[in-house]
Amino acid sequence: MTTFEALGLSPKILKALEKTALKQPTPIQAQAIPQIMQGRDLMGLAQTGTGKTAAFGLPLLHRLLDIGHPPGPKNIRALILVPTRELATQIKDNFLTFTQGTAVKVVMVVGGASVNRQAQSLLKGADVLVATPGRLIDLIERGDVSLEKCGYLVLDEADHMLDMGFIHSLRRIAKHIPLKRQTLMFSATMPKDITEIAETYLRDPVKVQVAPPGKPAEKVTQGVHFIPNGDKARLLEEYLKKHPGEAALVFSRTKHGADKLAKVLAQWGFRVGAIHGNRSQNQRDRILTEFRQGEVDVLVATDVAARGIDIPTVRHVYNYDMPNVPENYVHRIGRTARAGAEGSSLSFCAPAEMGELQAVEKLLKKSLPVLGGAPWAADVVAAAPKPGQNRGQRPQGQRGPRPGAGPGKQGAGKPSSGPKPAARPGAARPQGGGGTPSRRPGGTGGPGRRG
């Protein structure tokens, strides 16, 4: 079996690895590390939680250790671009672990923190800079950092950069980096646009793939529960009470929806926090620390948190709102069952979300097991509120003073036909379905405004 030592990594790196939980290379690490150490450009495809950070970080640091002199004022040697602050923090923390006992300097720059302090940290340069695109452009325009001597470019979670509209930022940044460089691109999914980016920025890359693009971790138990939108909060409460004290990650589509849901769950006695793009970096760091240390059991998040949360204790992922980008489903449920552990994922599907569910199942090339309700009939899907029609709708449970109150009204005043609060989640009465759940729903609906 392959070992890190057999891969030829520097003794200093091997010594740092002795203090970590990394004992043997994962498949993506075993395949990517030798290629990167040889100086090849690389396109890496692997599921989330399989060790992509070490796959590019260890060989990159191995090459940097051979240089032997400081980078120079405001200069950097290696740039790692990521789409979210959470992922940047995760990578920075991993690199700090990998570089223990070496002179390698690692700096992180992200939005939501003091740009002046970040500029100060770059005055003497850095060997590795982990950055989100927007903040890096700010620093370049201020003259606080130079990429003229950057010999390594890493694009991590490149598909999510596309989803978040960072392609234009990437083009602006790439103009400042020498053409003579080593470029590495890593992702868990492979949309068509990623191929175009690889052809633009990578030179004769080797492709390393340890799982089909878009395939979630094997040890995640998945399922779907069909439920009216206004009844989702009570259903979530039932599932959370089945696993008291176990870390759960709940995904909401909108920032406002995440805050509202977290407030309701707190009123019902759960230890809960919310994280999204409107929170400052200090707030996000504090909530993630509380979640990691077990002070918070339930974390409600938008997709900004689907990349970069590496907390092994997460056992349950709930898609309170179906993702409007099917690839995000893979990244969401990849927050559990990390590093070989087991986990579960449950998606709540309202009538207006049938289209999103079908897109996810098309990506997965399989149907999700039905754990409650039945697929919505075509007429129910057609009558579901379209974007903006249910503006102002609150999570069920905010309407009444008692946490145990029955379901409220859904949408534009129509009675909810979802489960009563005391009902078992698996016994929900489907609206528009009936009998044995069909896996070929009668119609699709456009995405509604949920959360």
Side-chain angles (χ1 to χ4, degrees):
M1 183 174 289
T2 304
T3 63
F4 286 112
E5 185 175 8
L7 294 176
L9 290 169
S10 164
K12 291 183 179 180
I13 295 177
L14 294 175
K15 185 175 182 179
L17 289 177
E18 291 177 357
K19 301 177 182 180
T20 72
L22 300 177
K23 303 305 178 185
Q24 294 177 330
T26 64
I28 185 66
Q29 293 163 2
Q31 294 184 44
I33 288 175
Q35 300 288 350
I36 298 173
M37 289 174 64
Q38 293 173 17
R40 294 290 303 274
D41 283 10
L42 183 139
M43 176 68 204
L45 293 170
Q47 303 162 355
T48 57
T50 54
K52 294 199 296 288
T53 300
F56 66 76
L58 297 178
L60 181 61
L61 292 171
H62 174 90
R63 303 200 74 191
L64 291 175
L65 285 172
D66 290 337
I67 298 176
H69 58 82
K74 298 185 180 180
N75 285 304
I76 64 166
R77 288 185 168 134
L79 172 63
I80 303 174
L81 277 181
V82 298
T84 68
R85 307 172 198 172
E86 282 67 37
L87 184 55
T89 301
Q90 174 192 321
I91 292 174
K92 179 206 68 176
D93 290 344
N94 283 330
F95 267 67
L96 291 177
T97 299
F98 299 155
T99 56
Q100 286 184 6
T102 74
V104 173
K105 181 180 179 181
V106 181
V107 173
M108 179 183 77
V109 296
V110 297
S114 170
V115 68
N116 291 326
R117 290 182 183 176
Q118 292 174 355
Q120 188 73 19
S121 68
L122 289 167
L123 279 178
K124 295 183 180 180
D127 294 287
V128 179
L129 178 63
V130 186
T132 50
R135 178 47 55 91
L136 178 58
I137 290 175
D138 291 341
L139 290 164
I140 292 174
E141 292 178 345
R142 286 165 48 114
D144 292 321
V145 65
S146 171
L147 305 182
E148 294 179 355
K149 297 182 180 179
C150 180
Y152 304 93
L153 172 62
V154 180
L155 305 176
D156 196 17
E157 304 291 13
D159 52 346
H160 196 35
M161 286 192 186
L162 289 176
D163 295 341
M164 298 178 68
F166 286 151
I167 183 62
H168 300 295
S169 298
L170 173 59
R171 293 185 183 126
R172 292 176 63 184
I173 293 168
K175 292 178 181 179
H176 296 270
I177 306 176
L179 292 176
K180 188 178 180 180
R181 64 173 186 261
Q182 183 178 14
T183 306
L184 314 173
M185 181 183 295
F186 282 80
S187 180
T189 60
M190 189 69 177
K192 293 180 181 178
D193 290 344
I194 289 295
T195 303
E196 297 178 10
I197 290 181
E199 292 174 350
T200 301
Y201 297 104
L202 277 65
R203 298 171 300 168
D204 188 28
V206 59
K207 185 176 180 179
V208 173
Q209 180 174 325
V210 298
K215 182 180 178 182
E218 295 179 356
K219 294 189 177 182
V220 179
T221 302
Q222 303 174 64
V224 61
H225 194 126
F226 295 94
I227 182 78
N229 204 46
D231 296 339
K232 285 183 177 181
R234 279 300 180 190
L235 182 61
L236 176 62
E237 179 194 22
E238 293 180 22
Y239 277 109
L240 291 175
K241 285 184 174 180
K242 288 183 177 181
H243 309 283
E246 296 185 12
L249 188 53
V250 182
F251 281 102
S252 166
R253 174 172 298 183
T254 68
K255 305 168 188 176
H256 187 48
D259 282 336
K260 289 196 298 183
L261 180 59
K263 183 177 180 180
V264 169
L265 293 176
Q267 291 174 346
W268 291 346
F270 293 98
R271 299 189 302 172
V272 61
I275 184 172
H276 50 68
N278 282 354
R279 294 292 173 91
S280 70
Q281 189 60 44
N282 287 338
Q283 289 176 319
R284 290 159 75 157
D285 290 342
R286 176 179 55 79
I287 293 171
L288 283 176
T289 298
E290 292 174 350
F291 189 48
R292 184 176 289 107
Q293 295 178 348
E295 298 173 17
V296 165
D297 296 325
V298 183
L299 180 63
V300 185
T302 55
D303 279 313
V304 70
R307 320 286 179 109
I309 292 184
D310 186 8
I311 300 177
T313 56
V314 174
R315 288 291 173 264
H316 310 280
V317 171
Y318 297 97
N319 292 306
Y320 189 83
D321 296 318
M322 293 296 298
N324 55 358
V325 177
E327 286 82 6
N328 283 350
Y329 175 87
V330 176
H331 294 287
R332 287 181 176 189
I333 72 173
R335 298 310 100 195
T336 186
R338 298 184 70 81
E342 296 183 353
S344 69
S345 167
L346 178 61
S347 300
F348 296 173
C349 183
E353 296 175 300
M354 283 299 295
E356 285 95 329
L357 174 62
Q358 291 171 338
V360 166
E361 293 181 332
K362 181 179 179 180
L363 176 68
L364 300 178
K365 297 182 179 179
K366 68 175 184 179
S367 298
L368 295 180
V370 178
L371 302 184
W376 302 99
D379 58 336
V380 178
V381 172
K386 300 303 183 288
Q389 288 185 350
N390 59 345
R391 191 176 302 275
Q393 176 176 305
R394 295 173 292 175
Q396 192 277 329
Q398 274 193 311
R399 297 176 176 83
R402 293 182 298 108
K409 296 180 180 179
Q410 180 194 5
K414 295 183 180 180
S416 166
S417 59
K420 303 298 181 184
R424 292 180 294 104
R429 180 182 177 185
Q431 179 177 347
T436 302
S438 166
R439 294 306 300 145
R440 298 189 63 84
T444 62
R449 183 181 182 275
R450 289 166 291 281

